[in-house]
Amino acid sequence: MKVLPIYTYGFDVLRKKTKRITKVDDALIALAQNMLYTMHKANGIGLAAPQIGKDLAMTVIDVSEIEGYEDEKPLILINPKVIETHGSIVLEEGCLSIPHLRASVERPKQIYVEYQDLDLNKKTIELDDLFGRVSQHEIDHLNGVLFIDHLAKEQRNMLKKDLNDIKNGLVQSTYILAEVPSKKKNGRKSPLNNI
Ligand code: CO
């Protein structure tokens, strides 16, 4: 198992609509396993392929660490799509690609998701509350959408400085982040950071 660096806000790969998966080979299975491993190491409950720099419609979810969800098995969703929604609920969200920032987001409470498993068999699953929330967040990632996009303008403006810092590579994290290209970097390696 390999820990993969997490791509953060500012990387183009997080803003692209991902490619549909049409073939599952050993490399893709290994990638899914490494994504689960990376997510667990980062104390995450969901991780989408763009977050590890891959332009693929695949996400992994594991909510079993959360009270009330102990019996849930990890999910690997290929080409997932929300096909039906019910109700609405406000819950606080964060994102491994947007370290330290959290915000309350309103989304449907209950959803039906159509996806394919690792054998490319088509399945439909009903998910609600927290499980439904994580899934919607991850499926958003596969369409280049981040949770901050759901916030009201004023709410998002308050996060602007922190988002810029993340974009410029000026963020610390307990898990490994992909290196921000130096042209975007704004002083992370400055010797003055160490005085
Ligand atoms: Co996220």
Side-chain angles (χ1 to χ4, degrees), residues 116-180:
Q116 285 165 280
D117 63 15
L118 281 178
D119 297 315
L120 291 183
N121 291 323
K122 239 188 197 169
K123 297 193 167 173
T124 303
I125 189 171
E126 185 232 318
L127 302 160
D128 49 24
D129 297 315
L130 194 114
F131 212 162
R133 175 54 58 105
V134 180
S135 310
Q136 290 176 78
H137 177 116
E138 300 312 325
I139 293 170
D140 262 1
H141 270 303
L142 304 181
N143 292 305
V145 175
L146 302 171
F147 80 87
I148 50 172
D149 302 341
H150 292 280
L151 304 177
K153 210 170 177 184
E154 313 82 67
Q155 216 181 348
R156 194 169 162 172
N157 278 343
M158 288 196 300
L159 303 177
K160 218 168 179 175
K161 193 201 165 290
D162 291 327
L163 287 170
N164 265 327
D165 282 349
I166 295 170
K167 200 185 251 180
N168 291 324
L170 297 171
V171 69
Q172 302 281 323
S173 170
T174 52
Y175 46 91
I176 299 166
L177 303 179
E179 174 109 15
V180 173

Side-chain angles (χ1 to χ4, degrees), residues 53-78:
K54 301 280 185 199
D55 176 20
L56 293 170
M58 177 165 74
T59 177
V60 299
I61 296 168
D62 185 0
V63 293
S64 63
E65 291 287 314
I66 293 166
E67 210 187 320
Y69 294 89
E70 292 86 350
D71 296 334
E72 298 290 350
K73 302 265 174 302
L75 263 185
I76 297 168
L77 305 178
I78 291 177

